[in-house]
Amino acid sequence: MSDHIDSTMSTGHVDGARMQTNQPDADALVLFGATGDLAVRKLFPALYRLERSGVLQVPVIGVARSDWTDDDFRTHARESIAEHFDDADPTIVDSLCERLDLVQGDYADETTWNELRATLDRHNSMVAVFYMAIPPTMFPMVATKLASVDLHRRGRIVVEKPFGRDLQSAVELNKILHEVFAEDHIFRIDHYLGKEAVEDLLVFRFANTLLEPVWNRNYVRSVQVTMSETLDVEGRGSFYEGVGALRDVLQNHVLQVVSLLAMEPPAGADSGYLQDEKAKVIAAMRPIQTDALVRGQYVGYRDEPGVDPNSNVETFVAVRLEIDSWRWAGVPWYIRVGKAMAQSATEAVLELREPPRMLFDESGGPPPGRNLIRLRLGKNDGVTFALQAKTPGPDLDSQEVDVDVDFAAALGERQDAYERLIGDALIGSLRRFARQDIVEGTWRVVQPALDDPGHVVPYFRGSWGPADADDILLNGDHWFAPTPD
Ligand code: BG6
């Protein structure tokens, strides 16, 4: 039984995410790891966007060990923004930089925490967002140190992934964080939940009466989810060695997408109801069976800097999942993720069953293809229905036609994931963050593959992974070529 009624009761506001929160707006944003890689790649560009849209109205206090001045920090932010926006507006960059302060010091050192507290006092802050853009090994220490200067009562934390490295470590991390923060003050990031296209799965499923009748085992024959990247580990070999594709993207991003595709409609708009339905469908997922799992490694991975020459870490995973719910029992869910693949794509494909009888195959040719619903979740997000239509000519034969919507063309520019997630944390909305039971549930699903991973099978860069990935397919199924990003 969840505690969502208490923790996320609506305030009666009517606008979007704000409706989901009963927490006060934040009056400061504290960035731990402010001089690190994530800040440069994602956080400063997101802050620029938030400043541009007028949402960022609070001081931003970086905390970092680097021996930098406030000015160094501001220059760093300017450089990050310039790297991401060709046409950054200098007035907006200036107003963002005016918000920036740096608290420099060792995280283990008491004076750093006193200084942080004094800085927040100076800004009269009572509700800060503490964003942990730091290595996960430091999460417990930072949470405890915040409590040591009594700042835990003055804010909420945002925790970056990976949240644990298996079920046990995730449970332990939750326990440590709960000693300091209540569950509704812990915002666990999975940036896929911040993507418009991923969130659209909810709207697409539950705002279209057309789809719900067929969205189940009676009409769906199989579901495929592909998350392929042409990029390799890009010099992050030593990080990747401790992770692998299962922990890096499958346990989090992909299982979040699967839960949105598979869950029942939530009882209402409240964030807790959505989380409850996700938790239920994750509980119905059978733990991965190792005979339905293929792990691959691209040839050349072992030569990457920081990688063990005998590494058994996977850069590719194909797995067949089963969801033992009334809606999905018996339907195979084929998942494929990988680096250094033929194409970048993030796509879910539902293959529908064939009609009971083919009435129109007059020429005696091959039977018509089955209907597909392709949901593109990457850069070219959109949806394609592959339907059958009559082939022109005297016979009643059919052929595939695509009914396609490109969301960017149809709907215009969408917000960036980090922009939305930081904006949500500032207003205290948990809707796009991962609740404890969901994170632990996804670790439970992948745990057998971590305990008994077996060997990795090599594959060539630029391929679709090892041919062995076909072995997990049932009923003569094949992998669909995904629509490239
Ligand atoms: C990250 C992984 O969480 O997601 C990366 O650590 C991966 O390895 C990235 O490349 C993919 O995110 P996106 O938004 O580019 O699909």
Side-chain angles (χ1 to χ4, degrees):
M1 184 51 203
S2 81
D3 58 355
H4 72 259
I5 301 291
D6 289 331
S7 61
T8 55
M9 247 173 2
S10 164
T11 56
H13 288 284
V14 288
D15 55 333
R18 183 168 287 282
M19 194 175 77
Q20 319 297 327
T21 174
N22 69 345
Q23 302 197 25
D25 286 357
D27 53 21
L29 173 62
V30 177
L31 285 186
F32 295 106
T35 56
D37 180 51
L38 184 75
V40 173
R41 286 189 298 112
K42 302 285 185 189
L43 305 184
F44 288 124
L47 290 176
Y48 171 78
R49 290 189 172 99
L50 288 166
E51 182 75 44
R52 188 174 59 186
S53 56
V55 171
L56 189 69
Q57 302 194 346
V58 298
V60 178
I61 301 155
V63 182
R65 277 178 296 201
S66 312
D67 189 12
W68 286 12
T69 62
D70 281 0
D71 279 344
D72 294 337
F73 183 46
R74 291 180 187 133
T75 308
H76 183 66
R78 281 180 195 281
E79 283 168 4
S80 156
I81 294 164
E83 246 175 59
H84 288 84
F85 301 91
D86 293 336
D87 54 351
D89 180 335
T91 331
I92 295 166
V93 179
D94 287 348
S95 63
L96 171 60
C97 285
E98 275 165 28
R99 296 184 188 286
L100 300 181
D101 267 338
L102 186 70
V103 171
Q104 187 272 322
D106 196 317
Y107 286 84
D109 195 341
E110 212 180 307
T111 51
T112 310
W113 298 93
N114 289 329
E115 199 191 321
L116 174 60
R117 193 188 156 115
T119 309
L120 286 168
D121 286 345
R122 205 168 54 244
H123 287 292
N124 297 317
S125 164
M126 291 310 293
V127 186
V129 167
F130 298 108
Y131 195 122
M132 302 212 202
I134 45 179
T137 46
M138 293 173 67
F139 297 163
M141 192 241 238
V142 169
T144 315
K145 290 288 188 188
L146 282 170
S148 74
V149 287
D150 222 27
L151 284 177
H152 63 308
R153 293 181 211 285
R154 287 169 49 177
R156 38 195 184 247
I157 46 169
V158 175
V159 188
E160 265 296 335
K161 78 172 253 279
F163 197 91
R165 41 178 296 104
D166 54 17
L167 178 55
Q168 195 192 339
S169 56
V171 171
E172 276 163 19
L173 180 55
N174 274 322
K175 217 169 116 212
I176 294 170
L177 295 181
H178 282 153
E179 282 166 14
V180 180
F181 290 95
E183 174 63 19
D184 65 355
H185 282 53
I186 303 174
F187 289 61
R188 298 177 192 80
I189 291 238
D190 181 318
H191 79 279
Y192 266 54
L193 296 179
K195 292 187 182 227
E196 289 269 16
V198 171
E199 192 166 53
D200 180 57
L201 293 175
L202 276 177
V203 177
F204 188 71
R205 284 192 57 197
F206 300 126
N208 291 305
T209 314
L210 170 75
L211 296 170
E212 173 56 19
V214 300
W215 207 269
N216 57 54
R217 63 197 295 275
N218 298 324
Y219 291 92
V220 176
R221 178 190 152 99
S222 71
V223 185
Q224 288 189 16
V225 179
T226 298
M227 179 185 169
S228 57
E229 298 175 273
T230 51
L231 295 176
D232 58 21
V233 297
E234 294 183 283
R236 295 194 304 156
S238 53
F239 155 77
Y240 206 80
E241 274 289 272
V243 189
L246 264 161
R247 290 185 172 96
D248 188 36
V249 297
L250 196 141
Q251 171 268 332
N252 37 70
H253 305 328
V254 174
L255 289 188
Q256 288 286 350
V257 166
V258 170
S259 68
L260 288 168
L261 287 167
M263 66 181 224
E264 297 302 315
D270 187 288
S271 155
Y273 291 127
L274 168 65
Q275 307 274 6
D276 286 350
E277 290 308 331
K278 283 164 87 178
K280 265 164 60 185
V281 78
I282 289 166
M285 286 178 200
R286 292 213 180 135
I288 286 177
Q289 317 247 325
T290 45
D291 59 0
L293 167 77
V294 174
R295 293 187 320 122
Q297 186 187 73
Y298 65 81
V299 175
Y301 172 72
R302 293 178 183 184
D303 304 327
E304 299 272 357
V307 170
D308 178 346
N310 298 313
S311 174
N312 189 36
V313 168
E314 76 284 347
T315 57
F316 170 94
V317 179
V319 65
R320 188 181 67 246
L321 276 184
E322 286 175 59
I323 303 177
D324 221 351
S325 67
W326 276 62
R327 191 184 281 266
W328 295 114
V331 177
W333 287 68
Y334 304 123
I335 315 287
R336 196 170 43 157
V337 303
K339 297 265 188 203
M341 304 275 286
Q343 275 168 344
S344 290
T346 317
E347 188 176 56
V349 184
L350 282 81
E351 184 181 29
L352 272 61
R353 297 185 189 282
E354 55 265 38
R357 198 179 143 210
M358 190 36 62
L359 297 171
F360 311 119
D361 55 345
E362 291 184 346
S363 61
R370 301 182 187 104
N371 292 158
L372 302 178
I373 305 174
R374 289 177 175 271
L375 300 152
R376 297 186 301 279
L377 308 173
K379 294 197 182 75
N380 64 343
D381 56 345
V383 58
T384 304
F385 291 90
L387 305 175
Q388 296 293 312
K390 185 186 167 304
T391 304
D395 297 328
L396 275 177
D397 291 332
S398 79
Q399 68 185 63
E400 188 170 300
V401 288
D402 286 349
V403 179
D404 181 65
V405 183
D406 174 312
F407 287 162
L411 307 170
E413 202 197 329
R414 264 70 44 69
Q415 285 181 310
D416 160 75
Y418 273 90
E419 173 186 4
R420 306 173 83 210
L421 294 173
I422 297 174
D424 285 351
L426 287 171
I427 61 165
S429 170
L430 284 158
R431 188 174 62 184
R432 301 187 185 103
F433 293 85
R435 201 170 66 185
Q436 172 195 3
D437 51 347
I438 293 173
V439 172
E440 291 178 4
T442 51
W443 280 119
R444 183 190 57 80
V445 172
V446 301
Q447 191 63 48
L450 305 176
D451 293 340
D452 179 18
H455 290 297
V456 285
V457 188
Y459 64 94
F460 289 111
R461 282 170 183 274
S463 71
W464 281 108
D468 300 33
D470 294 354
D471 297 347
I472 66 161
L473 303 174
L474 302 176
N475 314 319
D477 288 343
H478 63 276
W479 294 105
F480 296 113
T483 319
D485 264 357

